[in-house]
Amino acid sequence: MTTTSPLRFGVVGNPIKHSRSPSIHEAFAAQTGIALHYERILAPLDAFDHTCHDFFQQGGSGLNITVPFKEQAYTLAQDHLTTRGRLAGAVNTLWMEDGHIHGCNTDGEGLLNDLRRLGHDPAGKQVLLVGAGGAARGAVFPLLDAGCARLRIINRSPDRATQLLDHVLEQLPEFAARLTAGGLSQAQGPWDIVINATSSSLGGSPPDLPAGLYTPDALAYDMMYASQDTPFMTQAKAQGAASVADGLGMLVGQAAASFAIWHGLRPDMTPVLQALRGSASYT
Ligand code: NDP
């Protein structure tokens, strides 16, 4: 009789204790009948590359990457990036293929899946993206690729929004007519979908946004997730957004997209999202 050890996966970050990725991937594995082991890996701040090389040298199959290492993961996989990884300039999914470390960014796909699940497909919509950090970088190309009519990036530091726009247009100038950037006060509403990709809610306050952001049926989407409304969701309701949502569905969606890369199978997000939503606290 032969026995095969389960495939090894993990999530690398610092800190990492809080990560929900192991339970999400274990639930997908149970659902699809794949035997795997998925661990949390704390990488020292100055030893990200070493941690990843070590994992793959010991036979590991795939890694998710979280704060603060997504840009270092991009560099690690820079010769073998998907279009989404290259345009994001940040990578959250690594795998070994033909002896090389490959990288992709699945955050944007997770976001798109969730917007569609919520009945707000961005195709043909006017979309405002608030923030220009790593999470926003992962969202720009997928939103344009999905056919949004107009995408405006606004950020507390306006230069960073402009840099993000330049980074995308250098590689894809055909998006110039649909993509603009500015500061937080230059929102130029109203918008069908407003996405908060800032970390302001972590400090207990919403971003400092002007009034008049929302069309009558608009969705306000916060990439941050919490067991109660985030400060951005509360602000959006007060400013007239017809519906609000947090980023828990995006979290499960980016994991499902990583799972599909690694295993060639797309798991059903719904029961996993319901289980997480039902847990007492998931902040
Ligand atoms: P970064 O640190 O890379 O970027 C932070 C962004 O937030 C910058 O644009 C920064 O602006 C802005 N910001 C910070 N504080 C404020 C404030 N008080 N007012 C206005 N803007 C502010 O973080 P990430 O991009 O990695 O993460 C952003 C959020 O997205 C986090 O809440 C994170 O949890 C969430 N996220 C959710 C995911 C999911 O699956 N649901 C996946 C990835 C991220 P400036 O440039 O001016 O400093």
Side-chain angles (χ1 to χ4, degrees), residues 62-175:
L63 288 173
N64 284 127
I65 308 300
T66 187
V67 176
F69 297 125
K70 289 185 189 180
E71 288 175 19
Q72 288 182 57
Y74 167 85
T75 306
L76 187 66
Q78 65 186 344
D79 295 329
H80 299 91
L81 290 167
T82 61
T83 304
R84 288 180 179 210
R86 182 166 46 80
L87 286 165
V91 152
N92 73 338
T93 307
L94 295 174
W95 67 99
M96 187 59 86
E97 190 178 318
D98 300 330
H100 299 287
I101 296 177
H102 290 241
C104 183
N105 185 311
T106 66
D107 285 336
E109 185 175 339
L111 171 68
L112 279 186
N113 278 340
D114 207 31
L115 293 176
R116 290 177 178 138
R117 181 185 67 86
L118 294 163
H120 290 266
D121 191 321
K125 300 279 173 57
Q126 311 275 337
V127 182
L128 180 68
L129 180 63
V130 187
R137 294 182 80 92
V140 173
F141 171 65
L143 284 167
L144 288 164
D145 195 40
C148 66
R150 195 156 73 97
L151 177 63
R152 181 160 178 79
I153 309 163
I154 57 171
N155 194 47
R156 181 176 60 179
S157 320
D159 289 355
R160 226 173 149 199
T162 310
Q163 281 161 18
L164 176 51
L165 173 140
D166 289 343
H167 172 78
V168 173
L169 294 187
E170 258 168 37
Q171 301 179 68
L172 294 167
E174 64 269 31
F175 288 141

Side-chain angles (χ1 to χ4, degrees), residues 67 70-71 107 130-136 155-158 160 184 196-202 205-208 221-225 247-248 250-252 254:
V67 176
K70 289 185 189 180
E71 288 175 19
D107 285 336
V130 187
N155 194 47
R156 181 176 60 179
S157 320
R160 226 173 149 199
L184 288 186
N196 180 31
T198 76
S199 48
S200 76
S201 289
L202 294 174
S205 311
D208 188 11
Y221 189 96
D222 198 344
M223 286 192 184
M224 193 181 137
Y225 45 88
L248 194 66
M250 174 178 168
L251 177 78
V252 178
Q254 60 77 28

Side-chain angles (χ1 to χ4, degrees), residues 196 199-207 209 214 222 224-226 228-239 244:
N196 180 31
S199 48
S200 76
S201 289
L202 294 174
S205 311
L209 293 169
Y214 297 100
D222 198 344
M224 193 181 137
Y225 45 88
Q228 65 290 320
D229 280 358
T230 65
F232 170 74
M233 290 160 70
T234 304
Q235 177 197 56
K237 279 182 182 168
Q239 292 187 352
V244 298

Side-chain angles (χ1 to χ4, degrees), residues 41-57:
I41 302 171
L42 178 72
L45 290 173
D46 60 355
F48 171 73
D49 284 17
H50 175 78
T51 304
C52 295
H53 282 301
D54 204 40
F55 177 83
F56 286 118
Q57 266 160 20

